[in-house]
Amino acid sequence: MSLHCHHDRGTPARTSTQHVTLSIDGVPVTVPAGTSVMHAAAEAGIDIPKLCATEQLESFGSCRLCVVQVKNRRGYPASCTTLAEEGMEVTTENDALFRLRRGVMELYISDHPLDCLTCSANGNCELQDQAGRVGLREVRYADGQNHLQEATDTSNPYFAYDPSKCIVCSRCVRACSDIQGTYALTTTERGFDSRIAAAGGEDFMSSECVSCGACVAACPTAALMEKSVIEMGQPQRSVTTTCAYCGVGCSLNAELQGEKVIRMVPDLNGGANHGHACVKGRFAWGYATHADRITTPMIRSSIRDPWREVSWEEAIAHTASELRRLQEKYGAESIGSITSSRCSNEETYLVQKLTRAAFGVNNVDTCARVCHSPTGYGLKQTLGESAGTQDFDSVMQADVIMVIGANPTDGHPVFGSRMKQRLRQGAQLIVADPRAIDLVDTPHVRAAHHLKLLPGTNVALINALAHVVVTEGLVDEDFVVDRCEAEAFNKWRTFIADPRHSPEATASVTGVPADEVRAAARLYATGGNAAIYYGLGVTEHSQGSTMVMGIANLAMATGNIGRPGVGVNPLRGQNNVQGSCDMGSFPHELPGYRHVSDVATRELFESVWGVPLSDEPGLRIPNMFDAAIAGSFKGLYVQGEDIAQSDPNTGHVTRALESLECLVVQDLFLNETAKFAHVFLPGASFLEKDGTFTNAERRISRIRKVMRPLATYADWEVTQMLSNALGYPMNYSHPSEIMDEIARLTPTFHDVSYAKLDRLGSVQWPCNAEHPDGTPTMHVTEFVRGKGRFMLTEYVATEERVNRRFPLLLTTGRILSQYNVGAQTRRTANNAWHPEDILELHPVDAEDRGIRDGDWVGVQSRAGETVLRARISERMQPGVVYTTFHWPGSGANVVTTENSDWATNCPEYKVTAVQLSRVEQPSTWQKQFAQFSEEQMKLLKQEPAGAPV
Ligand code: SF4
Ligand code: SF4
Ligand code: SF4
Ligand code: FES
């Protein structure tokens, strides 16, 4: 039995507005021009046998199983490569066709193992199905040569390639090139010896393969097969859910035996991913049942004490009484919460509700503080809404794509693949990044311009680009007059036209030659639909918010907003960081980005929540840390966020955490923050609960429970129990009821419901009476704030400067195989690709310091010191070094400083002045960290001695 009820029509659907009518086996059918005969037949309900064709890929015509007869035409054309024509009369079944197909099948089968009963694809194999389809019941092995003895390639941790089962249909090769865009596979030789090979290596693992799994999904036999299926057998049921990793929000089908996940298959109907996934969502779900999961609540009175396992009742009662004790002793404002951008909308909503209604304070913040808070601020100021303007599909209509401070092929891989598809179709690419990211030069894609700016100079660059637009007459005057505030625009035009913003004047600051800037600006302004995609390389700066506004200015000035193919698109990092912000996780905003000082909004929430609400913005995360060190902030509830690893200036963070009297951590694992905690409440993975995530395109998608929570409760239930114990009643029986409350209280979510999500699959907010099915493109006829507002964006150099002591700039980023703090991916086989964080540096900087590839290198900044292994790389420019931050012991944040965005406090992770030197051993911090971690792990296993806590 196949779990895939979607019937594969064999070739991609066409969208032409011209139609042709033909007859297939006497059935008339009308299809868009360019549709294959095979696809047209499927539309008419006729299923033509096929092996090498699949709806996800352009046809290739190699197997010849799909032959048909066309009236008044000679021969037997392949229906997958023959286009439907007006008046065509097609026959799909007759004796001649039957014999031809059977002959084809016999050839395949005679060189194929006949162990169907024990084959891992049994019951889900297209070769088996098609053999039955053409009436082949008995086969003999052909005499002479065959491929049955060839060794299986098991080098990839997640899937195997068994050449004996390969029918050389090249679906994998096409999937890797057309869908994924990696071009890792080729067909070797010709004729009989033809087989699949992974390019650039001996086997899959050593090749260029990025383990996205597209080839495995495309393979019609067991030649490419998930190891989990080989080991455990075919899944029995399937539940559609949403990836819990990045902000792309891929829709995945969890295929199961009982409550056991056998594999994750990308959902063809997924609005964000259309059937594609990456190595994380597709394969790296094993953490969810990893032995490190903590499934019993624990408490202790001091972080030097062993943990004591307790019942849920005791843990909740203890937490509530501690938080109340702190409020009585130190004041109401002495406690607060941090919501999780990995948890669901409903859970995030409940944590902020708990904080505002049960704690009675606005001290709630979220990890977006450290990533995209400037996006929220900057886009709200200019466009009126704190979110990206497009859906991902929009990129397929872009003619010019500008990527600023983002690395989509690593950070947002499925969207990165889509962007590459569009670039291969001919869209032009501008990359603004200190480092040569993969997109700059990948198969069939080369950036028209790589603006290799120095870290920290974004605003100078965006101003220079805008200067060219304004001074070379490239402003879209009609758009500006029609859609934007005239006075603000005129002020901006005068400001930006000043010679100090010219490419020539700023070249010495940005390091980008003036003519490159001019050419890029002209391309962006005149190349057709131009879309900007940006990431943390824009936001995590002292001028992060200014840069976001600069981007919005540029898009408005050139009329690149308000239709498909254009727009301003933040690539948001975590799966639900958009959602956590939407749900009111910021200390100054109630759900839907409404300020706590707004009387009408507060009254609305007060009437539904039944308590008075504070009109004073609460503490942001960095303020919480400062207040903790100063002694006025004493209790913190952290759900699913590892601030000890992810926030800058680790030394400062750990001092703050050590100052707390009650740190409550709710998580899957004893993460770095939990090592400073007094209460540990076990969390539930995305597989263990119902809820919704909102991705970077504002798309709300369901997560669905596929197994019971390992620790009994889903996270929203735990928050609810805590609230009840604090005396503020919450009585939701299902997350859908929480969503109903969100919809009632939030205009942009007004028409969202689980019933609607089940019906539509997903929906992009705003979803209300005006847009009942959601909003793929925003600001279409007018901006959310009415008229678009140009903001002045003066470049101010960061205080973090290089000097003789710290002559290099360190910047940070992500890698494909690991995710964020790594708590999840480090507990999967993904470590095979990235077992440690590496420091990349340019050969010149390495030579100056006598550093060789693979050496240990001490990285000193004004904040601290850590040690990383060196990789010498031409991707870097001289003077700039780079690392990732997925391993806690790397201490990337020991060296990052406390500088932050002027408007939002988003830390300036992307610019740290450092010096490097060759060393022989870990840094002092790393040694202390290792020792502290070891002690904490012992306290986890040790039974407490003496009196109970
Ligand atoms: S897993 Fe992805 S990248 Fe690797 S060979 Fe298959 S399609 Fe290509
Ligand atoms: S590995 Fe699978 S998809 Fe690739 S050519 Fe062989 S049978 Fe076709
Ligand atoms: S691209 Fe992002 S959402 Fe999609 S599978 Fe990969 S990690 Fe998950
Ligand atoms: S399905 Fe048409 S040639 Fe293979």
Side-chain angles (χ1 to χ4, degrees), residues 424-749:
R424 290 197 303 273
Q425 289 174 358
Q428 305 240 54
L429 174 66
I430 302 166
V431 172
D433 203 291
R435 183 167 163 266
I437 57 170
D438 278 351
L439 268 186
V440 169
D441 187 7
T442 72
H444 308 288
V445 172
R446 183 179 273 278
H449 303 284
H450 176 201
L451 311 177
K452 228 176 189 181
L453 75 174
L454 277 170
T457 64
N458 284 335
V459 172
L461 179 70
I462 203 84
N463 285 348
L465 290 165
H467 176 90
V468 177
V469 168
V470 163
T471 55
E472 295 191 9
L474 305 176
V475 170
D476 183 338
E477 303 285 350
D478 292 345
F479 182 91
V480 169
V481 168
D482 207 34
R483 301 283 309 268
C484 303
E485 280 180 14
E487 199 189 318
F489 172 73
N490 289 332
K491 249 199 208 151
W492 177 79
R493 187 199 284 260
T494 313
F495 161 82
I496 210 78
D498 189 282
R500 74 180 187 279
H501 299 305
S502 74
E504 290 70 22
T506 50
S508 61
V509 172
T510 62
V512 186
D515 50 352
E516 277 274 345
V517 177
R518 285 197 180 271
R522 288 171 197 144
L523 176 61
Y524 175 81
T526 64
N529 282 342
I532 297 177
Y533 294 88
Y534 71 87
L536 303 181
V538 158
T539 54
E540 289 177 345
H541 287 275
S542 61
Q543 281 200 292
S545 293
T546 316
M547 179 61 181
V548 172
M549 295 189 286
I551 288 173
N553 288 342
L554 186 66
M556 288 189 292
T558 53
N560 278 309
I561 211 143
R563 63 180 186 278
V566 299
V568 174
N569 304 282
L571 293 173
R572 313 211 57 158
Q574 301 213 60
N575 54 324
N576 200 36
V577 65
Q578 179 71 50
S580 72
C581 298
D582 301 343
M583 292 299 109
S585 292
F586 289 133
H588 64 292
E589 279 170 345
L590 284 154
Y593 304 100
R594 287 164 296 165
H595 205 276
V596 291
S597 65
D598 181 62
V599 179
T601 304
R602 236 180 25 253
E603 280 175 1
L604 174 68
F605 280 87
E606 285 172 344
S607 71
V608 173
W609 292 356
V611 284
L613 295 173
S614 161
D615 61 354
E616 277 291 315
L619 298 174
R620 298 169 172 184
I621 292 172
N623 309 133
M624 291 182 194
F625 293 154
D626 293 345
I629 290 170
S632 60
F633 190 74
K634 291 290 184 182
L636 181 61
Y637 171 40
V638 184
Q639 184 178 71
E641 176 63 16
D642 198 355
I643 43 180
Q645 189 182 338
S646 60
D647 283 47
N649 195 343
T650 308
H652 184 74
V653 177
T654 53
R655 265 198 310 288
L657 296 179
E658 281 169 340
S659 312
L660 296 172
E661 284 188 24
C662 183
L663 174 60
V664 184
V665 169
Q666 186 173 356
D667 209 281
L668 304 180
F669 304 107
L670 194 82
N671 62 16
E672 301 315 312
T673 309
K675 290 172 185 164
F676 295 90
H678 308 91
V679 177
F680 186 90
L681 304 174
S685 82
F686 76 116
L687 297 169
E688 297 158 40
K689 57 201 185 188
D690 284 301
T692 57
F693 291 156
T694 306
N695 77 352
E697 15 154 48
R698 297 168 275 107
R699 184 185 300 280
I700 309 162
S701 303
R702 278 293 312 274
I703 52 166
R704 293 185 177 85
K705 184 170 164 177
V706 304
M707 60 174 76
R708 282 165 289 185
L710 298 187
T712 315
Y713 295 112
D715 298 295
W716 62 271
E717 293 176 289
V718 175
T719 307
Q720 171 158 297
M721 291 191 292
L722 180 56
S723 190
N724 287 326
L726 284 162
Y728 178 77
M730 288 189 188
N731 297 300
Y732 306 100
S733 62
H734 190 269
S736 64
E737 296 169 10
I738 306 173
M739 181 52 86
D740 292 343
E741 180 175 317
I742 295 165
R744 206 157 63 240
L745 288 168
T746 316
T748 41
F749 278 68

Side-chain angles (χ1 to χ4, degrees), residues 63-87:
C63 77
R64 304 253 337 132
L65 195 64
C66 69
V67 285
V68 291
Q69 250 183 328
V70 181
K71 193 174 171 188
N72 298 331
R73 229 184 254 195
R74 284 175 33 181
Y76 301 95
S79 60
C80 64
T81 50
T82 304
L83 298 189
E85 284 170 23
E86 186 63 37

